[in-house]
Amino acid sequence: MRRQSLIAIFILVVAVAIAVLMVRSRPTVEPQPVTETAPLVETSTLRSSTSPLEIVATGTVSAQERVIVASQVGGQVLYVNPDFVEGEQIDRGDVIIRLDRADFENRVRSAKADLAAQDVNVMQAEQDVQIARSELAQFDERFSAQQSSEAPPQTSGFRPPEQSNVAIGETSNVNTLSDVERSLATREPQLQSAIAARDRAAAGLSDAELALKRTVVTAPFSGLVQSETVSVGSIISAGQSLGELVSSDVFEVQASLSDQEAALIPGLYNNDGEPLTATIRQILAGQTVEWPAEVSRVSAVRDPQTRRVEVFLTVKNPLTSGQFVDGNNGERAAPPLFIGSLVDVLLSGAPNQTYALIDTNYLRTDNQVWLVEDGRLRIVQASLILRSDNVAAITFPGLSNRHTLVTSDLRAPVDGMNIRLSEAD
């Protein structure tokens, strides 16, 4: 038992000796200063500008004038213009259809005969009036002469009572007749009735001739045939739809703008001078085609779903006014602008302050931007003027070309932290 105790004490002494030896023989560690590693960032120069901004909106092409082709009279179709088919173009005044004229020509002849008969009646009534007036004048002269020869001498103030209801030709003077009695006596009502009957016959002839003219339906304007539903031999009624024609002289483009975009366009709401110009752009087979346009009106009603401003533009001669942007197409004509196409509408905006265009990827949370100032990161709150899918126009106090924009992402950005610039910058 004593031997085991001695062995344990010996092992303990040896362990303490080894520990002391290890502590004394360890190297001395000198404290080193802590160095902070600044993150490496990429940057680009911020370009300020005051020039007009190009506002791009999406628009839809539609027809400004659209008409349903119909005949004002009914009948059998004898002719249909071969160009009156869907997709073809019709010029102003071109005959679209012709109806059978036989019934309408008969109505015209009947109306002419009726008018001629009424002319004879008027002539007869005029002669009757002249004869009646002559007879009435002669009777009045004879009666006046008879009254003068039979008048008693005036010897006292006594006058016999006048007789009433005395027939003409007995003792009453014709000059005492009322206007109505004189009119009846001269047969003037019969003349007026004959004239009214002649006017009615003349109106009937005009209606018959007008209906005859309406057997030919012509195009009210130059346009494209949108649809057609008539063929030779068809029996149509007045007002029946024969097809649809849209004007090809002017197309309309409807585009929607945000409140910010609309506010940048001067004179959009109250333009009293020259119309606002715009450009319609479309990319076809890798080539850009443009058409000149003008703002015609701005809707006073907001779209109930998007709450955006609806702007309407007109494009004159849309089938022939297009131009290639690159200009490398020789004499080849640009394609026409088609109804129903989706196009880009380019309008000019005029901001009243200095701005800079940046990639939307560099616009941070809450419209903040990261700048470099004396080797440190500066987080600046910017005001958004305009934003599209890829580009944003911003401004902030003191904006100039001296600012450098941080384009790299940082895990924990802190205003005033040190940063290192990439050598490529």
Side-chain angles (χ1 to χ4, degrees):
M1 184 68 181
R2 184 178 178 182
R3 184 180 178 181
Q4 293 178 347
S5 300
L6 292 175
I7 294 174
I9 293 173
F10 176 77
I11 293 174
L12 181 61
V13 172
V14 172
V16 171
I18 294 174
V20 172
L21 181 63
M22 292 179 62
V23 170
R24 289 182 178 181
S25 61
R26 67 181 180 180
T28 303
V29 179
E30 297 181 358
Q32 299 292 333
V34 179
T35 59
E36 179 182 357
T37 303
L40 185 65
V41 297
E42 295 181 354
T43 61
S44 66
T45 302
L46 203 61
R47 304 293 182 183
S48 62
S49 175
T50 57
S51 59
L53 276 170
E54 185 178 72
I55 300 174
V56 182
T58 302
T60 305
V61 182
S62 61
Q64 188 181 48
E65 295 183 0
R66 185 185 302 269
V67 66
I68 300 297
V69 180
S71 174
Q72 293 179 277
V73 296
Q76 184 178 19
V77 179
L78 298 183
Y79 168 81
V80 177
N81 192 320
D83 291 332
F84 191 63
V85 292
E86 185 175 348
E88 287 292 337
Q89 187 169 359
I90 294 288
D91 293 331
R92 178 186 177 90
D94 284 354
V95 175
I96 297 178
I97 67 166
R98 287 194 182 96
L99 301 179
D100 188 0
R101 296 164 54 94
D103 292 340
F104 300 94
E105 291 174 347
N106 291 336
R107 295 177 189 175
V108 170
R109 285 193 292 269
S110 176
K112 288 181 177 180
D114 188 19
L115 180 59
Q118 296 301 329
D119 285 337
V120 173
N121 293 336
V122 170
M123 293 173 59
Q124 183 65 45
E126 290 175 344
Q127 292 297 323
D128 293 342
V129 168
Q130 292 180 2
I131 293 173
R133 288 177 178 175
S134 178
E135 291 177 349
L136 189 60
Q138 294 176 3
F139 185 83
D140 187 30
E141 292 177 359
R142 290 197 301 269
F143 184 80
S144 298
Q146 181 182 358
Q147 290 290 94
S148 298
S149 61
E150 296 179 355
Q154 300 292 332
T155 59
S156 67
F158 174 77
R159 294 184 61 188
E162 296 182 356
Q163 298 179 357
S164 59
N165 300 326
V166 180
I168 298 176
E170 296 180 359
T171 59
S172 176
N173 193 337
V174 178
N175 292 329
T176 62
L177 294 176
S178 66
D179 292 341
V180 175
E181 291 172 338
R182 181 173 292 276
S183 176
L184 292 174
T186 56
R187 302 183 63 83
E188 291 181 1
Q190 287 81 350
L191 175 59
Q192 295 175 359
S193 177
I195 293 175
R198 183 182 62 180
D199 292 342
R200 184 167 55 251
L205 176 59
S206 298
D207 288 342
E209 291 175 341
L210 185 59
L212 180 61
K213 292 181 180 179
R214 288 172 175 173
T215 57
V216 178
V217 179
T218 59
F221 48 71
S222 299
L224 300 173
V225 180
Q226 193 81 357
S227 63
E228 54 86 18
T229 58
V230 65
S231 59
V232 175
S234 302
I235 304 296
I236 65 173
S237 58
Q240 177 181 334
S241 175
L242 307 177
E244 188 174 9
L245 190 66
V246 297
S247 174
S248 60
D249 294 335
V250 179
F251 282 175
E252 189 172 70
V253 178
Q254 180 179 353
S256 61
L257 302 175
S258 66
D259 290 334
Q260 286 181 318
E261 294 170 337
L264 290 174
I265 303 174
L268 180 65
Y269 296 106
N270 52 359
N271 183 26
D272 297 330
E274 294 294 328
L276 296 178
T277 59
T279 301
I280 306 301
R281 177 179 295 173
Q282 190 175 26
I283 299 178
L284 301 172
Q287 296 177 325
T288 303
V289 185
E290 292 184 347
W291 293 264
E294 294 180 353
V295 176
S296 60
R297 66 187 189 279
V298 179
S299 176
V301 180
R302 297 292 182 90
D303 186 290
Q305 297 180 349
T306 62
R307 301 297 178 183
R308 294 170 68 87
V309 180
E310 298 296 326
V311 180
F312 296 86
L313 305 96
T314 56
V315 182
K316 298 180 180 179
N317 302 318
L319 303 182
T320 58
S321 62
Q323 297 290 333
F324 287 105
V325 174
D326 51 22
N328 297 325
N329 293 277
E331 299 298 329
R332 187 165 66 92
L337 183 64
F338 293 105
I339 294 176
S341 302
L342 290 177
V343 295
D344 289 333
V345 178
L346 281 63
L347 295 162
S348 179
N352 55 3
Q353 53 191 330
T354 303
Y355 68 91
L357 295 177
I358 64 172
D359 192 299
T360 53
N361 293 325
Y362 307 147
L363 189 62
R364 312 299 175 173
T365 305
D366 297 331
N367 296 332
Q368 293 179 345
V369 291
W370 298 346
L371 304 179
V372 178
E373 184 175 319
D374 298 332
R376 295 180 180 274
L377 176 68
R378 293 302 180 191
I379 300 178
V380 177
Q381 182 68 46
S383 298
L384 184 63
I385 298 177
L386 185 66
R387 178 172 182 167
S388 63
D389 293 338
N390 301 318
V391 179
I394 63 168
T395 186
F396 54 84
L399 173 62
S400 67
N401 290 329
R402 298 189 304 271
H403 290 102
T404 301
L405 180 70
V406 176
T407 60
S408 301
D409 289 332
L410 297 174
R411 292 185 178 180
V414 178
D415 186 37
M417 65 182 293
N418 293 324
I419 54 176
R420 293 180 297 134
L421 305 185
S422 174
E423 295 180 359
D425 299 323

